[in-house]
Amino acid sequence: MFPRKGASEKEVLKELKEKTSSDLTFNSGRILGSMCTQPHPFAVKIITHYIDRNLGDPGLHVGSRKVEKEAINMLANLLGLERGYGHIVSGGTEANILAVRAFRNLSDVEKPELILPESAHFSFLKASEMLNVRLIWAKLKKDYSVDVRDVENKITENTIGIVGIAGTTGLGVVDDIPALSDLALDHDIPLHVDAAFGGFVIPFAKELGYEIPDFDFRLKGVKSITIDPHKMGMVPIPAGGIIFREKRYLEAVSVPAPYLAGGKVCQATITGTRPGANALAVWAMIKHLGFEGYKEVVRRAMELSRWFAGELKKIPGVYLIREPVLNIVSFGAEELERVEEELKGRGWGISAHRGYIRIVMMPHVRRGHLEEFLRDLKEII
Ligand SMILES: Cc1ncc(COP(=O)(O)O)c(C=O)c1O
């Protein structure tokens, strides 16, 4: 019921505290199955300070718009491009929708089709429905990466684009993006790389010596990349990123927005009014941590994943779905549903809806949390 009379801040806060007391929190270390994390305190500071900025009306917040462009260029640099075109958006979903929309709008086919791996995130289902683009699913190989031959077999005159994934949602697998890029160039079709998760992991992991295929704009067939600062970038939600290689892709999804207070502009994002503070926080976090800072975050996460995978292997009845590629470890067990329920009953934030339990070594996850989890898992098994 909409209250007629207001309550004091103290009363409202008390009620809210009670109502959210059943929420799991990231800093408790109990959330092991999420790609989100406790935001970095510096990013929180930026959000609080610039909470009123609206990038949906960039004519009013000209400085913030410039900072967003700088953030996009820094992300583009990280992904092998001197200059990129894009936006800080609400998340990987919006970024993927924008990429499909750009590919569709630049194509000239009656029945548009998009080829994507069976491991693709469900955001493409939304894109398909909204944009009337048919999804053509390509099979996976035994290692859970996309079968590039199957992708090739599925190319038709209706194909508007191909999707490759750099860090799949379930297993953190990186597709053979170099082969997909060659295929895309051969057939003159754009390739979108969904690096929503992997974008803030792979560049650093590669420098740390992990062998991971190239996945970014250094490959000429790659025309757009999704990279989410609100995952491993440690920026508060919402902060996704879409980067296009060329301006024409961004223009293909832009509409005129004539009534804005700050003057006539074009808008490319799905959201109209959108938080400038989060874009500023992306910029600030990149400046604050730099490549070396993020590399340390990734070093910890990758080492923890390898250690955890080793510990899981020691538990009879537990098996890895595959060796970890990034900082995601997924495992199966007999009576998985019972195991899942009991783990949840003990307060662990995990799920097993794909037929395995996925543990994501986000920055808030510490070895101590995992040791406790392993003790519980052993008891339950
Ligand atoms: C590979 C991939 N793409 C896209 C998304 C969607 O991101 P969001 O939930 O920020 O919209 C996710 C989310 O987990 C993902 O793993």
Side-chain angles (χ1 to χ4, degrees), residues 7 16-17 20 34 77 115 117 161 181 214 234 246 261 273 286 369:
L16 206 52
K17 194 173 173 189
T20 58
S34 171
N77 286 169
I115 305 175
S181 169
D214 287 341
M234 292 187 291
E246 295 162 39
T273 300
I286 296 173
H369 304 136

Side-chain angles (χ1 to χ4, degrees), residues 35 91-93 96 121 167 169 194 196 228 230-231:
M35 286 181 166
T93 299
N96 284 340
H121 184 261
T169 310
D194 183 355
D228 279 0
H230 71 196
K231 295 186 169 73

